[in-house]
Amino acid sequence: MTDAVVIGAGPAGLMAAETLGKAGFSVTVAEAMPSVGRKFLMAGKSGLNITKAEPSATFLAAYGDQIPTALTTALHQFGPAEVITWAEGLGQPVFTGSTGRVFPTVMKASPLLRAWLARLNSLGVEIETRWRWEGWHGDTLVFETPASMRTLSPEVTILATGGASWQRLGANGHWARHLPESVAPFQPANMGFSVNWSDHMGPYLGAAVKAVALTAGDQTSRGEFIISARGIEGGGVYMVSRAMRDGAALTLDMKPDWSHDKLRNALNKPRGKTSLSNHLRKVLKFTPVQSALLAEFGRPFPDDLTTLIKTLPVTHAGPRPMDEAISTAGGIRFDALTDDLMIKHKPGVFCAGEMLDWEAPTGGYLITGCLATGAMAGAGAVRFTRQNGVVSAS
């Protein structure tokens, strides 16, 4: 017997389990993969960015203009300050980088995850791996396990089954078939875009593009991005990927800190017999990859390059496949949930993390959102059981 079952052992699920365990509940976490936190560990391979230290209004704006009320509440209750306190409470000191991004001092995810699992163990949380959720039989949860089919009938359930990208890490979206009436279609988020490069771009595949500004719709990013054989990807692109996915054109400002007048004056300096690429290198400090991008997307060149350099149109063939995306939009609609993330038509079943229909850019926002909704769902489950008198947890 168990008071609560949490399905999914990513950041949202583990935070829900911690919240329930601290409230005195017996908790079983069911994870379909052979080990827990696989996407969490992958996110930390190049440095685990756990949150972003910035004013609350700026932080919330990263989640979009129409952020659901429940998500706003969750982020107010468990925002950047709480994430930092939580990590440090697990013995993982953090530091804040020049851009406001917050990292564990060791930069890796594995020490934080080990400390977290030790805490959960001390709370009596049981974790079962290779338990694949197969929906309900009536009100009973059904799992496929290596030994046999198993069923559990907890008082409360937290679903934290992830989005629909990175299938090899366990996030495949297959859970949506169990809740078809509550799910918005999945879409890629924080994804790269396909570009059919001409042959002259071959030497620049793998190159990083820095010191430019990317604009799509009303979104602008100063982050760097990578030219890959498949197209463009990386943090700078991810910041504007939502607008691009929704149809906004992408332009590059190749000299974002220069005014039109300053740029035009520099371009009008005598060129002589110097090639255009060398002229751009001398007067604008263009890198070879910047010159290559200008040629790729700007030819035939106009007489005055100023406007082209400030708003270089990028031709692309749409988002890369969803399974390559860092995260996904779509999932459980917020209008199908109560204010504390319980499914309206399934009392006692709460949802958290990337399976909810929200999206945010990389840079600490995704992990914070998962932790915040996990904490909210766990707290909601505690209140539900106590209000209904089904668990006498202390």
Side-chain angles (χ1 to χ4, degrees):
M1 294 295 294
T2 186
D3 298 327
V5 169
V6 177
I7 302 176
L14 295 180
M15 181 55 74
E18 178 179 338
T19 303
L20 289 159
K22 285 181 174 178
F25 286 54
S26 60
V27 183
T28 298
V29 177
E31 168 57 45
M33 301 300 286
S35 58
V36 306
R38 289 195 164 197
K39 195 171 181 182
F40 182 68
L41 292 171
M42 177 64 74
K45 286 190 70 174
S46 58
L48 182 66
N49 181 193
I50 59 173
T51 194
K52 184 81 174 290
E54 60 189 3
S56 178
T58 304
F59 187 82
L60 290 174
Y63 295 83
D65 296 333
Q66 299 180 331
I67 178 172
T69 300
L71 181 57
T72 301
T73 302
L75 292 167
H76 278 308
Q77 294 174 347
F78 203 94
E82 288 74 21
V83 172
I84 290 170
T85 299
W86 166 78
E88 292 180 335
L90 288 170
Q92 299 299 309
V94 303
F95 72 94
T96 302
S98 59
T99 62
R101 295 186 178 194
V102 180
F103 301 85
T105 301
V106 296
M107 292 295 287
K108 299 178 181 178
S110 51
L112 180 61
L113 181 59
R114 284 196 299 270
W116 199 1
L117 293 176
R119 174 183 286 177
L120 293 173
N121 183 64
S122 73
L123 294 171
V125 173
E126 296 185 2
I127 298 178
E128 302 286 355
T129 56
R130 294 188 172 91
W131 278 38
R132 187 174 303 280
W133 179 47
E134 294 296 339
W136 289 274
H137 181 70
D139 292 330
T140 301
L141 294 166
V142 180
F143 297 91
E144 179 184 332
T145 78
S148 63
M149 299 299 291
R150 293 288 303 273
T151 60
L152 291 174
S153 299
E155 301 296 348
V156 287
T157 300
I158 310 288
L159 303 179
T161 49
S165 64
W166 293 69
Q167 294 192 41
R168 66 188 179 88
L169 301 180
N172 53 33
H174 292 172
W175 56 265
R177 68 187 188 275
H178 304 310
L179 293 162
E181 68 281 5
S182 303
V183 177
F186 292 114
Q187 299 181 80
N190 292 299
M191 64 289 191
F193 286 76
S194 297
V195 177
N196 299 315
W197 301 114
S198 61
D199 291 342
H200 99 279
M201 291 297 294
Y204 305 101
L205 300 182
V209 183
K210 304 178 181 182
V212 303
L214 303 88
T215 297
D218 60 359
Q219 299 178 4
T220 296
S221 167
R222 290 291 296 267
E224 68 177 67
F225 66 94
I226 303 297
I227 295 174
S228 74
R230 299 174 297 185
I232 53 175
E233 56 191 66
V237 173
Y238 302 155
M239 289 291 289
V240 298
S241 61
R242 180 190 305 187
M244 292 175 64
R245 182 194 67 209
D246 294 343
L250 174 65
T251 61
L252 299 181
D253 184 344
M254 309 295 278
K255 296 296 290 185
D257 297 320
W258 286 33
S259 68
H260 280 72
D261 287 342
K262 181 178 179 179
L263 181 58
R264 183 173 288 109
N265 290 337
L267 289 170
N268 286 337
K269 290 180 179 179
R271 174 177 159 188
K273 296 182 179 180
T274 304
S275 67
L276 177 59
S277 60
N278 277 333
H279 185 61
L280 295 174
R281 176 179 59 81
K282 290 179 179 179
V283 301
L284 303 184
K285 306 300 182 186
F286 258 29
T287 63
V289 71
Q290 284 179 297
S291 294
L293 286 171
L294 187 67
E296 180 74 4
F297 297 118
R299 291 187 181 277
F301 292 140
D303 293 335
D304 182 1
L305 288 175
T306 304
T307 299
L308 183 65
I309 289 172
K310 295 295 287 183
T311 54
L312 179 67
V314 176
T315 303
H316 62 83
R320 294 292 305 160
M322 186 154 56
D323 196 48
E324 296 179 14
I326 301 298
S327 60
T328 49
I332 299 289
R333 303 188 319 275
F334 278 87
D335 64 10
L337 303 171
T338 63
D339 290 341
D340 54 4
L341 304 182
M342 184 175 74
I343 300 176
K344 291 177 181 177
H345 75 277
K346 293 195 77 68
V349 179
F350 296 76
C351 300
E354 284 193 48
M355 71 180 299
L356 299 174
D357 184 15
W358 61 278
E359 61 180 303
T362 56
Y365 303 106
L366 283 172
I367 289 180
T368 299
C370 289
L371 295 172
T373 54
M376 174 179 263
V382 171
R383 285 192 298 274
F384 174 83
T385 55
R386 290 176 176 168
Q387 288 167 0
N388 289 276
V390 293
V391 173
S392 58
S394 57

